[in-house]
C-alpha cells in the first residue's frame, strides 16, 4: 500500500490460528470431510434464559447507549457472583464491563503499562497476550514452561524474571492452550513472590468454571493487599457459550476502573446494551452438566492419545483443550512429507488426514499442538481414529 501503515500495526504478528482456520474453511467449502478441533469456543448453546432476556430487551427498546462501564444492574449482578463464587467483595464501581474479555485485557494493559514496562507471562500463552502487551508499549517477558512442571511456572522462575521494570504479572488459570490449573498452594507460593514487589497481577480467569480437579481459586482472594493490586478478568464467552455476544469484565481497584472507563468511553463506549441484558440473565442459568460433558470428553481424548505412538500428553485439569507433545515425530515422514515442526504437522494433518488442530508455535510451544474438545463425542471419535492412523503411518 503506497501510503504505508503505522509501525504499531506493522509489528503485530497475525494470529497463527487464522491461517489454519482459513485453510480449514476452504477445505470444508470444497466438500472435504474435515473434523475441526481448532475452535476455541464451547459447542453448547447460549442459555435460553439469556437469549430470552436479549429478545425482551430489544422489544422493550433497550437498544441505546448505556453507561460506558456497563449498566449498574449488570455490574451489581457481577459483584454478587464474585462474592458468592469467589469470596471477593467488590462494589459496582469496581467493575467495568467491556466487549469481551479480550477487550477487557486490552483496557487493562493500556491502563497500567507505559512504554518499556515489562509484563511477565508464561509460555505456552494465549496468542493475543504478547501482541496486546506490545500494542500498549510494553515488553512481554516470557517464562518458558513445559511438561516438566505441568506447564506451570515455579516461584523461583517467577522471582528470576522480576526486574525493576516489571509492571505486572499475567496469570491465566485454567490456561488456554494447555488446560493447566494452578492449585491453591501453587498460587499462594507465586503470590508470596509477587507480594515482595510493587507489581500488578492481571488474572485472566475466563475458564474458571471448566475445572476437573481442584476448584478454581482467584489469587485476589488470598489477602486484601493482593486483591488491591489484582486486575481480575473474566467474561461470559466460555462459561455461558456466549462468544458472539461479546461481554467481558474486569474487577479491580476503583481508581483503575475509573481510568479504564475513561479510556473505554473515548474508544469503544459500552458493550452492546442487548448483550448486557443477556449476560445479566445468564448468571442465573449456568449449566453444570456442560462441565461434566467436557470432563468425559477430556478423559476420552487423553485415553486415546495415551495409546498412540510418537505423542505424549499431560492430563489437563481445566479449560477444554489438550496440548500434546509431538517432538518425537520430528524428522519422520507421512507419505513422503517430512514433519519437522508443529506447523508442518498441523498442515499435513489437515491436508492428508482431514483433522484441523492448532500448531503450538503461535502459543510459544513449538513441540506441541492444541486440540479443542469442544465438539461432539462422535467428532472426537472420528478425529482420534484419524490421528491414530496418521501417527501409525509416520516413519
Ligand atoms: C485465555 C483467554 N482469555 C480471554 C479470551 C477472550 O474471550 P472473549 O473476548 O470472547 O471474552 C479467550 C478467548 O479465546 C481466552 O482463551
Amino acid at each position: 500500500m503506497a501510503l504505508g501503515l503505522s509501525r504499531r500495526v506493522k509489528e503485530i504478528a497475525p494470529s497463527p490460528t487464522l491461517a489454519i482456520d482459513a485453510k480449514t474453511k476452504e477445505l470444508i467449502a470444497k466438500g472435504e470431510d474435515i473434523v475441526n478441533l481448532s475452535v476455541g469456543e464451547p459447542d453448547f448453546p447460549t442459555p435460553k434464559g439469556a437469549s430470552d432476556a436479549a429478545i425482551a430487551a430489544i422489544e422493550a427498546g433497550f437498544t441505546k447507549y448505556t453507561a460506558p462501564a456497563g449498566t449498574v444492574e449488570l455490574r451489581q449482578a457481577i459483584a454478587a457472583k464474585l462474592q458468592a463464587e469467589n469470596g471477593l467483595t467488590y462494589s459496582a464501581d469496581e467493575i467495568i464491563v467491556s466487549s469481551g474479555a479480550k477487550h477487557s485485557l486490552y483496557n487493562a494493559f493500556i491502563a497500567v503499562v507505559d512504554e518499556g514496562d515489562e509484563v511477565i507471562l508464561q509460555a505456552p500463552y494465549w496468542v493475543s497476550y504478547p501482541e496486546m502487551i506490545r500494542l500498549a508499549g510494553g515488553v512481554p517477558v516470557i517464562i518458558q514452561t513445559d511438561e516438566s512442571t505441568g506447564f506451570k511456572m515455579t516461584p523461583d522462575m517467577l522471582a528470576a524474571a522480576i526486574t525493576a521494570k516489571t509492571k505486572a504479572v499475567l496469570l491465566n488459570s485454567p490456561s488456554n492452550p494447555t488446560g493447566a490449573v494452578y492449585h491453591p498452594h501453587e498460587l499462594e507460593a507465586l503470590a508470596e513472590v509477587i507480594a515482595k514487589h510493587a507489581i500488578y497481577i492481571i488474572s485472566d480467569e475466563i475458564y474458571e468454571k471448566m475445572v476437573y480437579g481442584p476448584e478454581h481459586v482467584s489469587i485476589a482472594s488470598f489477602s486484601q493487599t493482593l486483591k488491591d493490586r489484582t486486575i481480575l478478568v473474566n467474561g461470559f464467552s466460555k462459561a455461558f457459550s456466549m462468544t458472539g455476544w461479546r461481554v467481558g469484565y474486569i474487577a479491580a481497584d476503583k481508581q483503575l476502573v475509573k481510568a479504564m472507563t475513561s479510556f473505554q468511553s473515548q474508544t469503544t463506549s459500552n458493550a452492546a446494551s442487548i448483550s448486557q441484558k443477556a449476560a445479566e440473565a445468564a448468571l442465573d442459568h449456568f449449566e453444570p452438566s456442560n462441565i461434566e460433558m467436557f470432563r468425559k470428553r477430556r478423559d476420552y481424548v487423553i485415553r486415546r492419545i495415551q495409546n498412540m505412538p510418537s505423542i505424549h500428553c499431560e492430563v489437563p485439569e481445566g479449560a477444554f483443550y489438550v496440548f500434546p507433545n509431538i517432538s518425537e515425530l520430528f524428522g519422520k515422514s507421512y507419505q513422503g512429507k517430512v514433519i519437522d515442526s508443529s506447523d508442518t504437522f498441523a498442515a499435513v494433518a489437515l491436508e492428508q488426514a482431514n483433522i484441523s488442530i492448532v500448531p503450538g508455535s503461535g502459543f510459544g510451544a513449538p513441540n506441541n499442538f492444541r486440540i479443542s474438545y469442544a465438539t461432539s463425542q462422535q467428532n472426537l471419535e472420528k478425529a482420534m481414529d484419524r490421528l491414530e492412523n496418521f501417527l501409525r503411518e509416520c516413519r
Side-chain angles (χ1 to χ4, degrees), residues 40 100-102 105 126 129 172 176 204 206-207 237-238 246-247:
K102 191 182 249 181
L105 281 158
W126 180 46
Y129 293 143
N172 173 218
N176 176 7
D204 181 349
I206 197 156
Y207 292 97
S237 286
K238 315 291 173 175
R246 311 308 303 132
V247 191

Side-chain angles (χ1 to χ4, degrees), residues 247-318:
V247 191
Y249 60 88
I250 275 177
D253 169 82
K254 204 180 286 185
Q255 295 308 320
L256 273 174
V257 166
K258 202 169 156 206
M260 289 186 271
T261 305
S262 297
F263 175 66
Q264 181 164 300
S265 74
Q266 298 289 21
T267 50
T268 58
S269 296
N270 56 279
S273 58
I274 300 153
S275 296
Q276 289 189 55
K277 284 289 181 201
E280 193 186 325
L283 287 169
D284 295 327
H285 291 89
F286 176 68
E287 191 37 83
S289 62
N290 291 323
I291 307 302
E292 217 20 65
M293 183 175 67
F294 278 145
R295 176 204 293 276
K296 285 189 185 132
R297 292 177 185 170
R298 175 201 69 157
D299 291 348
Y300 172 76
V301 171
I302 294 289
R303 213 169 41 244
R304 289 295 307 265
I305 287 178
Q306 280 168 345
N307 288 315
M308 296 180 196
S310 310
I311 185 170
H312 61 273
C313 191
E314 288 289 297
V315 180
E317 290 186 309

Side-chain angles (χ1 to χ4, degrees), residues 143-339:
I143 298 177
Q144 191 69 46
T145 71
D146 59 22
E147 290 84 354
S148 64
T149 58
F151 291 117
K152 297 180 215 179
M153 58 178 145
T154 63
D156 287 347
M157 288 169 161
L158 177 58
I162 297 175
T163 72
K165 287 189 172 171
T166 306
K167 198 60 180 280
V169 176
L170 174 59
L171 298 174
N172 173 218
S173 175
S175 151
N176 176 7
T178 65
V181 176
Y182 280 94
H183 292 195
H185 70 278
E186 292 166 332
L187 260 191
E188 259 171 297
L190 295 182
E192 245 174 65
V193 174
I194 297 170
K196 291 185 192 139
H197 304 270
I199 47 185
Y200 288 108
I201 305 164
I202 301 175
S203 181
D204 181 349
E205 304 182 13
I206 197 156
Y207 292 97
E208 67 167 344
K209 298 277 195 196
M210 282 121 193
V211 282
Y212 318 110
E215 282 293 294
H216 167 79
V217 216
S218 174
I219 193 162
S221 65
F222 293 152
S223 72
Q224 187 60 41
T225 318
L226 284 166
K227 177 172 175 261
D228 289 344
R229 47 163 93 174
T230 300
I231 300 176
L232 190 161
V233 181
N234 206 332
F236 293 81
S237 286
K238 315 291 173 175
F240 300 99
S241 200
M242 290 177 68
T243 46
W245 298 80
R246 311 308 303 132
V247 191
Y249 60 88
I250 275 177
D253 169 82
K254 204 180 286 185
Q255 295 308 320
L256 273 174
V257 166
K258 202 169 156 206
M260 289 186 271
T261 305
S262 297
F263 175 66
Q264 181 164 300
S265 74
Q266 298 289 21
T267 50
T268 58
S269 296
N270 56 279
S273 58
I274 300 153
S275 296
Q276 289 189 55
K277 284 289 181 201
E280 193 186 325
L283 287 169
D284 295 327
H285 291 89
F286 176 68
E287 191 37 83
S289 62
N290 291 323
I291 307 302
E292 217 20 65
M293 183 175 67
F294 278 145
R295 176 204 293 276
K296 285 189 185 132
R297 292 177 185 170
R298 175 201 69 157
D299 291 348
Y300 172 76
V301 171
I302 294 289
R303 213 169 41 244
R304 289 295 307 265
I305 287 178
Q306 280 168 345
N307 288 315
M308 296 180 196
S310 310
I311 185 170
H312 61 273
C313 191
E314 288 289 297
V315 180
E317 290 186 309
F320 41 73
Y321 308 109
V322 293
F323 203 57
N325 184 307
I326 35 137
S327 54
E328 262 178 67
L329 203 64
F330 298 164
K332 294 188 182 172
S333 308
Y334 180 84
Q335 296 183 356
K337 297 212 169 162
V338 180
I339 293 164

Side-chain angles (χ1 to χ4, degrees), residues 367-385:
N367 292 334
N368 298 71
F369 69 96
R370 191 190 75 177
I371 287 175
S372 160
Y373 52 84
T375 187
S376 69
Q377 177 65 22
Q378 195 189 3
N379 273 345
L380 288 177
E381 284 171 20
K382 199 150 116 182
M384 290 303 115
D385 289 347

